[in-house]
Amino acid sequence: EIREFKNLAGKKIITLIQVSEVAAGPSKSKKAGAPVDNEEFYKVTDAIEYPGDPERLLRHLDPGSVGYVNTRTLRILNEQKSEEKAVPQFLKKYAEHRQALLDQKIASVVIPPAKELLAKQDTLRENCLEEWHTKREARNAKGDFIKALTNKFGSIAKAWRLALDPELKYAIENVDQLMKGLKRAGQMPPDGGEHALRTIAERLFQACQSKETEQITLDCLDPKTPAMMEKFKDRCEERFGSLQDAFESVDVEGVGIVSREDFRLLCHEVKATDGIFRLMEFLDPKRTGEIRLSLIDGEVTEDAMLATQTRRQMQKSQEHSAGVVAGLEQATQDRVLT
C-alpha cells in the first residue's frame, strides 16, 4: 500500500511536504519534520485516486502512532527513488515501535523478584507510617493549642479577639503573626526563647492553616462561631426582612453600638439563642457591655446608621415645623382676642 501510494503520488509528495512545513513556520527544521494536516493528506489521496483505505495508509506512514504523518517520514519516502529501499525502513520502524510497546506492557505486569518486592513494600509501609505520624502530631498539636487557649480565655472566640487577632485582620497570614499571637496568649515556651517559640509557631501554623488559603482563620480553630454568626444573620433576614432592618430595630439612635442586653433580646427574637454565648464572646470579649454591630457586618451597619440618622433628622425637622406653625396659630389667636 505504501508502494502504491508512492507510485501514484509522485511529485505531489514533495508539494505536501512544502505546504506542511510552511504552515508549521520557520521554527520547525527539516530534520525534525513538521506535522502534516490530516485533511491535506486526504486531499492528496483523493487527487491521485488512491484505491486503498486512506486512514489505514495514514497509520502505515505513522509508525509512532502520534495521529498524523510527519514531513520527515514523507521526505524519506520521496527521496528514496526505489520503493524497495523506502518500504523496508517503515517496516523496521513498525517492528521497533511494536516491540517497544510490548516491552512496556510486559514490564507493567511482570512480578518483580521477592526481595525487590519486599523492599518496595517496606519503603511504602515506612512512608505511610511516617505520613500517619506526621498527621497525628499535627492533630495533637492543634488540639493541645485549642485546649490551652480555651483554658486561659474560656473560649476560642474570645482568645481569637484578644490574642490572636486583636487588630481584626480576620486571618493570620504567616508565622511571624502567629508568634505575636502566641505571646499575647501567654504561650511562650519555658526554655529556648524566640528560637523555641518560632519552632512551635511553625509547627502550629502548618497544623492549623487552611489548605486552600494557607492562612489561619477563626473558622480553622472554631468553625462553630462563624457558623453561628451566619445563622444569626439568616434568622435576622427571616424575621425582619433584612439584616439592616434588624440593626435599625435594635440601634434606635443610629450609632452602630448596642448593649449586650439588647443584643441578647435580639437573639431571642430571631430564635438564635443557641449561639448567644459564642457570639457575645466574639463581639464583646472584654465584657464592656457594648457590642459594635460593624463586627457582624460593617457595610450593613453603615447603611443602617445612615438610614436611622436621616430618619431622625426628618422627624426633628417635622417637629420643628409643627412647633413653628403652632406658635404662629397661637400668636394669631392672641391678637384676635386682644
Side-chain angles (χ1 to χ4, degrees):
E1 292 175 345
I2 294 175
R3 181 184 300 112
E4 190 169 16
F5 170 73
K6 175 178 172 60
N7 290 334
L8 291 173
K11 294 183 179 181
K12 285 184 170 56
I13 295 178
I14 192 63
T15 302
L16 182 58
I17 292 172
Q18 292 172 348
V19 169
S20 301
E21 290 180 347
V22 169
S27 61
K28 290 288 185 180
S29 66
K30 291 183 179 180
K31 185 177 181 181
V36 177
D37 183 76
N38 290 346
E39 293 300 323
E40 295 295 329
F41 179 77
Y42 293 142
K43 286 180 182 178
V44 172
T45 59
D46 290 341
I48 65 176
E49 297 182 354
Y50 175 71
D53 183 353
E55 292 185 2
R56 189 167 65 183
L57 175 63
L58 188 147
R59 291 195 294 271
H60 292 339
L61 298 174
D62 177 26
S65 299
V66 295
Y68 55 82
V69 180
N70 191 291
T71 57
R72 182 172 179 272
T73 301
L74 292 181
R75 195 175 292 279
I76 294 172
L77 182 63
N78 180 69
E79 291 175 354
Q80 293 290 347
K81 301 303 180 183
S82 171
E83 63 270 12
E84 282 75 13
K85 294 182 179 180
V87 174
Q89 293 190 37
F90 289 102
L91 296 178
K92 181 181 178 182
K93 288 184 179 180
Y94 270 119
E96 292 174 349
H97 182 64
R98 292 179 65 183
Q99 185 61 45
L101 292 177
L102 181 60
D103 292 342
Q104 291 177 7
K105 186 175 181 179
I106 292 174
S108 65
V109 298
V110 69
I111 299 176
K115 185 176 181 181
E116 181 181 344
L117 183 61
L118 291 173
K120 288 183 178 179
Q121 291 178 341
D122 289 341
T123 301
L124 181 62
R125 182 171 61 253
E126 290 174 1
N127 292 338
C128 291
L129 284 173
E130 183 178 352
E131 183 179 357
W132 181 79
H133 284 301
T134 300
K135 290 183 178 180
R136 187 181 67 173
E137 289 177 359
R139 288 195 299 268
N140 291 342
K142 181 178 179 179
D144 292 342
F145 180 49
I146 290 175
K147 183 178 180 180
L149 292 175
T150 303
N151 290 338
K152 182 175 179 61
F153 294 93
S155 69
I156 299 300
K158 186 174 182 179
W160 179 265
R161 284 293 316 283
L162 295 180
L164 299 180
D165 185 33
E167 299 175 354
L168 289 174
K169 294 182 178 179
Y170 297 100
I172 300 174
E173 299 177 352
N174 51 55
V175 173
D176 290 334
Q177 291 182 7
L178 181 57
M179 288 177 65
K180 293 179 180 179
L182 291 174
K183 290 179 181 179
R184 286 189 292 262
Q187 299 296 309
M188 286 289 294
D191 301 311
E194 287 287 324
H195 178 73
L197 178 62
R198 177 170 291 276
T199 301
I200 294 174
E202 289 175 350
R203 185 172 68 252
L204 285 175
F205 194 84
Q206 289 296 322
C208 300
Q209 69 175 340
S210 165
K211 303 306 178 185
E212 289 76 21
T213 63
E214 296 184 347
Q215 298 177 348
I216 299 176
T217 61
L218 176 59
D219 190 61
C220 298
L221 304 178
D222 177 25
K224 290 186 178 180
T225 296
M228 288 306 308
M229 186 69 75
E230 292 304 314
K231 179 180 178 180
F232 168 76
K233 293 179 183 180
D234 292 340
R235 291 291 177 83
C236 284
E237 292 180 359
E238 293 172 5
R239 170 64 180 83
F240 291 93
S242 70
L243 184 60
Q244 179 176 334
D245 289 340
F247 283 1
E248 291 180 28
S249 71
V250 71
D251 179 22
V252 294
E253 300 294 328
V255 294
I257 298 174
V258 299
S259 67
R260 286 175 67 97
E261 180 60 20
D262 286 341
F263 181 76
R264 187 183 67 79
L265 293 175
L266 178 61
C267 288
H268 278 279
E269 186 169 355
V270 300
K271 294 180 171 50
T273 55
D274 53 338
I276 290 180
F277 174 78
R278 288 180 178 275
L279 293 179
M280 285 189 173
E281 287 287 274
F282 177 78
L283 298 172
D284 184 25
K286 295 182 179 180
R287 296 185 179 276
T288 62
E290 295 181 338
I291 289 176
R292 286 186 291 162
L293 297 177
S294 59
L295 294 174
I296 302 174
D297 193 309
E299 186 175 346
V300 173
T301 300
E302 291 182 4
D303 293 342
M305 290 171 60
L306 179 61
T308 300
Q309 292 170 6
T310 301
R311 186 167 55 250
R312 287 172 61 83
Q313 289 175 358
M314 292 177 63
Q315 290 175 350
K316 288 182 179 180
S317 297
Q318 291 173 357
E319 291 173 358
H320 177 70
S321 298
V324 171
V325 171
L328 291 174
E329 290 178 350
Q330 184 63 41
T332 300
Q333 291 176 5
D334 292 342
R335 284 196 300 272
V336 171
L337 291 175
T338 302

